[in-house]
Amino acid sequence: MSYIKKNISILGPLIGLILFSIFLGIMNDSFLTLNNILNLLRQISVNSLIAFGMTFVILTAGIDLSVGSILALGSALTAGLLSSSMDPLLAIFLGLLIGFLLGAINGVIITKGKVAPFIATLATMTIYRGATLVYTGGRPITGLSDSFTFEMIGKGYVFGIPFPAILMIIMFLILYFVLNKTVFGRQVYAIGGNEEASILSGIKADRVKIWVYSLTGMLSVLAGIIITSRLNSAQPTAGASYELDAIAAVVIGGTSLAGGRGRIIGTLIGALIIGVIDNGLNLMNVSSFYQQIVKGGIILLAVLLDRSSNK
Amino acid sequence: MSDTPIIEMEHIDKSFVGNQVLSDVHFDIQEGEIHALMGENGAGKSTLIKVLTGIHPRDSGIIRWKGEEVKFSNPKEAEKEGIIVIHQELNIIPYLTVAENMFLGKELTYGKSGIIKSNEMKAQTKGILDKLGVKNIQPNDIAGNLSVGKQQMVEIARALATEAKVIIMDEPTAALTEREIRSLFNLVQDLKKQGVSFVYISHRMEEIFEICDRITVLRDGSYVGTRMVKETNLEAVVKMMVGRELGQRFPEKNNYIGDVILSVENFSSPGWFDNVTFDVRKGEILGVSGLMGAGRSEVMEALFGYRKSSNGHVKLDGKPLKANHPKNLIKQGIGFITEDRKVKGLMLEAPIRENITLANFKRVSKNQVIQTKKERELVNQLIKRLNVKATNSEQQVKSLSGGNQQKVVVAKWLGIEPKVLILDEPTRGVDIGAKKEIYTIINELAENGVAIIMVSSELQEILGVSDRVMVMHEGKVKGFFDRNEATQEKIMLAATGGE
C-alpha cells in the first residue's frame, strides 16, 4: 500500500508509456522489435542525461535553461582538445570538468548573487552560446580523434547494447542512489520543500544548490560528448532548445516545478515517453510538424493529470 | 437579545470521503452578540464556518438566516447578505494600497466603464478608517508595508465597508500587539452596540472570557454545548473541549538550575536590536517577553546564525561561539524551534519522517549514506516520545493538526539532543491539550539539564513556565524578573517601555 502511494506520481506516466507503446506496436510492426527498442534507448540517452540533472535542479525549485549552451561549449572545447591530439580520456575528463565549472558559475550567480534561476540561466544560456560561437568561429570542429575510446562513446555497442544507452543506465543508477539514499539527495528535496526550514535545520543550502547546477552542467557535457562522438564533429549550434525537452521529461515524469516533490525514475519514464513519440511517429511517417503538436499535447496532459491527482 | 437568531444552524452533518467531520452540530448567533466557537484543532470549527458560508456544501441539516432557510453556494452569496469571514491568513494584496485593498473586487467605477474612481475610493476608505478610530493607516499606504496588526485592521475595515451583519474572525489576535488587541476589542464592542454579531474563534481563553457573550464548544465534529460566559468558567470550558479534566494548565516541574551555559554580551544588529546581554543556565527556563516587533525573534535568529549580527560575544560553556550558519550552532548542541512553523519550520508536503531527519542527518547516516533502519528507529522513537498523533511516520505533515505539526518540529530538535534549546512562540495555534504536552516536554528537558530560552507573547505562558523572565522593548533588554517576583503588570510595564 505505502509502496503504491510512494510511487503514485510515476504511475500515470508509466501507464501512459505502456499504452503508447502498445498502440504504436499495433500500428507498426517494427516498433516493438529488439532492434528498434535498442535504437530508442540510444536516441533518448542524450535527453535523459540532461534531464537527470534537470531533475535535481527542479527538485530544489530551480530551473536551468543553459543546459543546451553548456552542452555546445563543453563539446566544442572537448573537440578542440581532441583535434590537438590530446589523449581522448583526458580530453573527455577536461570536457566534463568544464561542464561542471560552467554549471558552478550558474550556481554561484543564483545563490551568492541572489538572482532567480530562470533569469540567471537565461543570461548564461546566451553567454555560453556566444562563447561557443566565438570559440568555433561559427563553424563545426571536425577531424577529431579516431581513437577507439572516443568512437565507442557515441557509436559503440557492448553485448549488442548501444554504449550511450549503457552510459545512461549507469548514470541513472548512480543518481538514483544519490537522490534516494544519501544525505545530499535528501537535502536536495528539503531545499525544494522549504528552503528556510532547511537552512534553519543546518543545511548549507547555497552549497547544495551550487553542486546541483554543477552536476547538471557536467551531465550536459556528457550528453554533448555522445553527440560529438556520433557525428565525429562538434557543432556550434548543438543542443539548441534541448532544455525544453529536458524540462518536458522532468515534468511528464511527475516532478513538481515548485520543487521538493518528484522522482528521477519518473524523469526516465518521461524521457522514454518523449522518445517513443518521436520514434513511433517517425516510423509511421508522421511529419515532424505534427510530432511537435503531439509532444506539446502530452506535456499539457501530464501536468493536468498531476494537478488533479494532487487535489 | 431578540428571539429569532440571525443565524441558526441545526443538525449539520458533513463528511469528506467517508470521514465524518461534523455530525449533528447546532450553532446559532443572536443579533448583536459575540459568540465564541471553541474546540481543539480538528474539532470542526473551520469546517462549520465553511459550511455556513457555502465553501463546503452540507450533507444534511438546516441553515436559517433571519429565520428563513438558506443555502449559500459560495462565500460571495453569504457576503452579499452581510456574513463576512476574516481568515487567519490575511487576504491582503501586498503591492496594492490600503484603499485598493478595501475595494478589491468591488471597485467604484464610472458606470460600467471599468475606469476606477480612485479619489472617491480613497475618501470612503478614509471615512471608514476614521469611523474605526484608526489614525495611523492612510488610504495611500502600500498594504504590504504595514505591520501584520495594521493589515488585520484593514481587513476588518474592509468587512465594515460591506455593511456586515455577522463578522466571523478566526484567530484575529494571533499576530497583534497588546495595544492593537485593545483597539480591536473596543471596535468590536462598538459594532456590537450597533447590532453587528461576531463569531470569535480563538485559542486564547482569557480573550474569550473578556469579550464574548456565549461559548459554543465542538469536539471531534460533534456539538458539546453552548454556555453563557457569565455562567461558566475556564475549567468547565476546557473540560468541554477535551472531554476530561485536564488538571493544571501548567504542569509542575522539578528542575535544578546549574551553571551558566550560554552567555550573550553586547549583541547588536543595527535596526533590529541593540546591546543585548543575557545568559541562561543549565536546567533553567528563561522566558523572553515583549511586544510584537521588540526584536526578540531577531535576537534568537542572529544567535542561531540565521541573521547577521554586527558585534557582540556569544559564549557556550565559556568558549566563544561563531554564529555564522545554523549548521555550526546545531553541531555545538543548540536547537532553535522557530516562530512560524509553516514558513520556517516544516516541509509541509514531506512526510513526518523526512521532517524529523532534517536536523539529524549525522545520527542516521554513515559516510553520507542514509541508514534506513537507523532513521526509522530514531523517527519512531521521537514520534512516540512526543505522542504525535499520526497513522505512521510516512504521513504528510500538512495533513496533521497544528498541535501535531508543532510536535513534529519539537521532535526534530529533540533529535539533536540539545544543550540549549530556543523556542520561539512554541504553542502558537496549538490546542490546549497539545499545549500542555509541549510544556511537559519543556519541563522534562529542563529537568535533564537542558537550558531553555522560550520567546512567547502569551503572558500567562511566560509566567507559568519560566524560571526567569527577560523583557525586551524596541530592541533593548528592559529587565529581568525572577519567577517569584514576576507579575503581568511588571512585565507589561517593562514591555511597553515603562521604567
Side-chain angles (χ1 to χ4, degrees):
Chain A
M1 175 59 211
S2 76
Y3 186 79
I4 293 173
K5 215 172 163 187
K6 202 175 144 198
N7 290 291
I8 198 107
S9 69
I10 56 163
L11 211 59
L14 190 61
I15 292 169
L17 175 63
I18 292 166
L19 291 180
F20 264 123
S21 305
I22 292 171
F23 172 74
L24 289 168
I26 293 168
M27 297 299 287
N28 193 300
D29 290 340
S30 48
F31 178 74
L32 282 178
T33 57
L34 181 65
N35 232 339
N36 189 50
I37 290 171
L38 291 174
N39 194 24
L40 177 76
L41 287 177
R42 183 178 50 68
Q43 284 168 357
I44 69 159
S45 62
V46 168
N47 185 30
S48 293
L49 287 170
I50 302 172
F52 291 161
M54 192 68 83
T55 309
F56 279 70
V57 169
I58 290 178
L59 280 174
T60 66
I63 195 95
D64 188 346
L65 301 180
S66 71
V67 286
S69 299
I70 292 182
L71 181 154
L73 185 53
S75 307
L77 291 168
T78 310
L81 294 172
L82 282 169
S83 61
S84 69
S85 54
M86 179 186 271
D87 176 68
L89 271 179
L90 182 62
I92 290 166
F93 173 78
L94 288 174
L96 294 177
L97 186 67
I98 287 161
F100 188 90
L101 291 175
L102 294 173
I105 292 172
N106 283 339
V108 169
I109 296 170
I110 289 161
T111 56
K112 304 299 173 193
K114 302 199 194 310
V115 181
F118 187 93
I119 306 295
T121 57
L122 182 66
T124 55
M125 170 174 96
T126 315
I127 295 169
Y128 296 160
R129 178 67 64 189
T132 313
L133 291 168
V134 169
Y135 178 72
T136 59
R139 287 177 297 276
I141 298 175
T142 51
L144 309 181
S145 156
D146 50 5
S147 82
F148 174 74
T149 320
F150 188 69
E151 298 242 306
M152 184 75 188
I153 291 178
K155 297 183 214 165
Y157 287 84
V158 177
F159 302 121
I161 302 168
F163 190 75
I166 293 175
L167 207 54
M168 169 184 84
I169 290 162
I170 292 173
M171 289 314 291
F172 170 76
L173 292 175
I174 295 173
L175 295 171
Y176 179 90
F177 179 81
V178 169
L179 204 47
N180 291 286
K181 301 290 173 193
T182 69
V183 173
F184 177 78
R186 200 65 79 72
Q187 291 177 338
V188 168
Y189 278 102
I191 289 169
N194 186 339
E195 186 166 347
E196 274 190 85
S198 305
I199 296 170
L200 282 160
S201 298
I203 293 174
K204 298 213 159 173
D206 286 358
R207 195 185 288 180
V208 173
K209 283 204 235 171
I210 293 170
W211 271 101
V212 162
Y213 284 93
S214 307
L215 175 73
T216 304
M218 195 184 74
L219 287 166
S220 304
V221 174
L222 183 60
I225 290 171
I226 292 175
I227 299 173
T228 311
S229 162
R230 276 196 77 70
L231 301 177
N232 204 24
S233 75
Q235 306 287 331
T237 54
S241 83
Y242 277 23
E243 66 280 355
L244 299 181
D245 268 354
I247 295 167
V250 176
V251 171
I252 292 173
T255 295
S256 158
L257 279 176
R261 214 164 43 83
R263 311 202 53 207
I264 194 165
I265 185 141
T267 300
L268 182 61
I269 295 170
L272 275 164
I273 290 178
I274 294 174
V276 163
I277 297 165
D278 284 345
N279 176 290
L281 295 182
N282 266 336
L283 288 179
M284 288 163 67
N285 287 323
V286 177
S287 129
S288 66
F289 301 163
Y290 284 104
Q291 289 185 25
Q292 295 205 20
I293 296 175
V294 174
K295 224 191 305 187
I298 302 264
I299 296 170
L300 211 50
L301 190 69
V303 178
L304 289 173
L305 285 175
D306 187 50
R307 185 92 6 114
S308 60
S309 74
N310 271 324
K311 276 221 171 114
Chain B
M1 273 178 232
S2 68
D3 304 46
T4 336
I6 185 158
I7 291 175
E8 213 177 352
M9 302 177 80
E10 272 176 12
H11 308 299
I12 303 293
D13 287 319
K14 175 74 199 169
S15 55
F16 292 114
V17 272
N19 205 349
Q20 187 99 16
V21 285
L22 291 177
S23 86
D24 201 17
V25 170
H26 173 89
F27 187 53
D28 69 85
I29 305 159
Q30 301 286 342
E31 200 175 320
E33 81 160 336
I34 305 173
H35 195 142
L37 184 56
M38 302 198 71
E40 298 195 84
N41 285 330
K45 291 167 295 183
S46 359
T47 313
L48 185 66
I49 298 305
K50 284 176 181 163
V51 167
L52 172 63
T53 53
I55 295 173
H56 296 320
R58 58 186 182 267
D59 297 343
S60 63
I62 296 170
I63 299 177
R64 290 196 198 90
W65 168 248
K66 295 175 176 170
E68 276 173 45
E69 203 177 325
V70 286
K71 198 160 206 172
F72 300 124
S73 51
N74 60 55
K76 207 130 205 179
E77 283 182 29
E79 208 164 294
K80 229 176 242 167
E81 294 291 335
I83 304 174
I84 309 287
V85 183
I86 300 174
H87 293 280
Q88 200 176 347
E89 282 88 22
L90 297 174
N91 289 312
I92 292 273
I93 313 245
Y95 303 112
L96 297 184
T97 65
V98 169
E100 284 162 347
N101 268 294
M102 291 272 286
F103 288 93
L104 200 62
K106 39 186 181 279
E107 288 81 1
L108 304 175
T109 54
Y110 294 98
K112 290 196 166 168
S113 65
I115 298 165
I116 286 175
K117 296 176 175 173
S118 68
N119 283 333
E120 189 165 343
M121 276 165 49
K122 280 178 210 162
Q124 285 198 20
T125 303
K126 185 92 186 117
I128 297 162
L129 290 171
D130 284 348
K131 198 174 122 196
L132 294 181
V134 179
K135 293 189 188 69
N136 47 8
I137 302 175
Q138 298 306 321
N140 267 334
D141 290 346
I142 301 294
N145 296 343
L146 301 175
S147 70
V148 180
K150 285 181 182 169
Q151 290 184 13
Q152 190 110 39
M153 289 294 180
V154 173
E155 283 252 18
I156 293 164
R158 182 156 74 184
L160 297 176
T162 56
E163 295 190 9
K165 303 253 176 15
V166 176
I167 299 178
I168 300 163
M169 296 196 282
D170 192 355
E171 292 277 357
T173 58
L176 299 193
T177 65
E178 196 60 32
R179 196 173 302 162
E180 287 168 331
I181 292 174
R182 286 299 124 210
S183 60
L184 173 65
F185 282 5
N186 288 337
L187 180 64
V188 167
Q189 298 286 11
D190 279 354
L191 290 170
K192 180 186 159 181
K193 277 180 206 137
Q194 296 166 29
V196 178
S197 312
F198 288 87
V199 177
Y200 196 90
I201 302 174
S202 175
H203 285 299
R204 295 191 177 177
M205 291 288 195
E206 286 78 13
E207 289 178 0
I208 303 265
F209 278 85
E210 179 185 341
I211 196 172
C212 296
D213 301 307
R214 285 197 299 163
I215 297 175
T216 289
V217 176
L218 302 183
R219 186 172 71 231
D220 300 330
S222 305
Y223 174 74
V224 180
T226 302
R227 301 279 184 275
M228 299 294 292
V229 165
K230 281 187 206 125
E231 293 160 12
T232 186
N233 58 41
L234 204 145
E235 286 71 33
V237 172
V238 169
K239 195 179 167 191
M240 286 169 81
M241 282 166 62
V242 297
R244 62 191 148 86
E245 297 274 0
L246 197 68
Q248 261 182 302
R249 193 166 155 203
F250 299 103
E252 290 287 336
K253 66 173 185 284
N254 190 10
N255 54 333
Y256 168 76
I257 298 176
D259 298 332
V260 169
I261 177 157
L262 181 79
S263 69
V264 176
E265 234 178 281
N266 299 326
F267 205 43
S268 297
S269 171
W272 296 104
F273 54 86
D274 188 27
N275 256 325
V276 171
T277 298
F278 68 93
D279 55 30
V280 56
R281 292 165 176 272
K282 283 180 188 160
E284 182 187 38
I285 302 176
L286 175 71
V288 182
S289 189
L291 302 178
M292 195 72 51
R296 297 166 301 166
S297 303
E298 287 77 10
V299 171
M300 300 309 151
E301 286 182 359
L303 194 56
F304 201 61
Y306 186 65
R307 174 189 284 277
K308 283 217 162 62
S309 56
S310 62
N311 55 38
H313 302 282
V314 181
K315 283 181 185 161
L316 183 74
D317 266 333
K319 282 179 227 115
L321 197 60
K322 241 175 110 187
N324 49 5
H325 191 282
K327 186 176 182 173
N328 302 340
L329 283 294
I330 292 169
K331 214 186 272 172
Q332 306 281 334
I334 299 180
F336 182 27
I337 296 176
T338 48
E339 176 178 23
D340 190 332
R341 62 179 163 267
K342 284 183 183 161
V343 177
K344 289 178 180 172
L346 291 168
M347 302 179 288
L348 291 168
E349 303 265 347
I352 298 171
R353 172 178 52 81
E354 288 182 16
N355 273 286
I356 292 181
T357 308
L358 198 58
N360 295 296
F361 287 127
K362 263 240 161 74
R363 278 185 76 178
V364 301
S365 67
K366 204 170 144 190
N367 299 325
Q368 297 297 307
V369 178
I370 307 247
Q371 311 289 102
T372 314
K373 205 177 144 216
K374 262 194 198 161
E375 183 184 17
R376 276 191 201 286
E377 277 171 13
L378 176 73
V379 167
N380 288 334
Q381 175 204 329
L382 286 167
I383 286 179
K384 214 170 144 195
R385 178 161 170 209
L386 279 147
N387 191 23
V388 179
K389 287 185 192 77
T391 46
N392 59 46
S393 62
E394 295 306 309
Q395 194 176 337
Q396 263 190 338
V397 165
K398 77 172 172 195
S399 67
L400 300 175
S401 71
N404 282 304
Q405 288 183 354
Q406 187 69 356
K407 285 186 199 170
V408 171
V409 179
V410 177
K412 169 171 80 178
W413 289 107
L414 292 198
I416 72 163
E417 294 176 345
K419 289 189 228 166
V420 179
L421 184 61
I422 306 167
L423 303 101
D424 195 353
E425 304 288 0
T427 66
R428 178 175 290 171
V430 166
D431 61 58
I432 204 150
K435 258 186 187 177
K436 190 167 175 185
E437 289 180 72
I438 289 173
Y439 298 141
T440 306
I441 289 284
I442 292 175
N443 288 348
E444 268 175 34
L445 288 170
E447 282 164 14
N448 287 320
V450 178
I452 305 280
I453 302 173
M454 184 185 76
V455 177
S456 172
S457 295
E458 263 189 77
L459 273 178
Q460 297 291 334
E461 179 171 284
I462 286 277
L463 291 168
V465 177
S466 321
D467 294 310
R468 201 157 53 99
V469 182
M470 173 170 97
V471 184
M472 286 187 68
H473 170 69
E474 291 183 351
K476 291 195 170 72
V477 175
K478 272 286 169 181
F480 292 90
F481 301 94
D482 266 333
R483 184 188 185 86
N484 42 27
E485 58 165 3
T487 61
Q488 285 208 34
E489 292 70 30
K490 281 184 189 169
I491 292 175
M492 268 328 289
L493 190 66
T496 48
E499 291 304 322

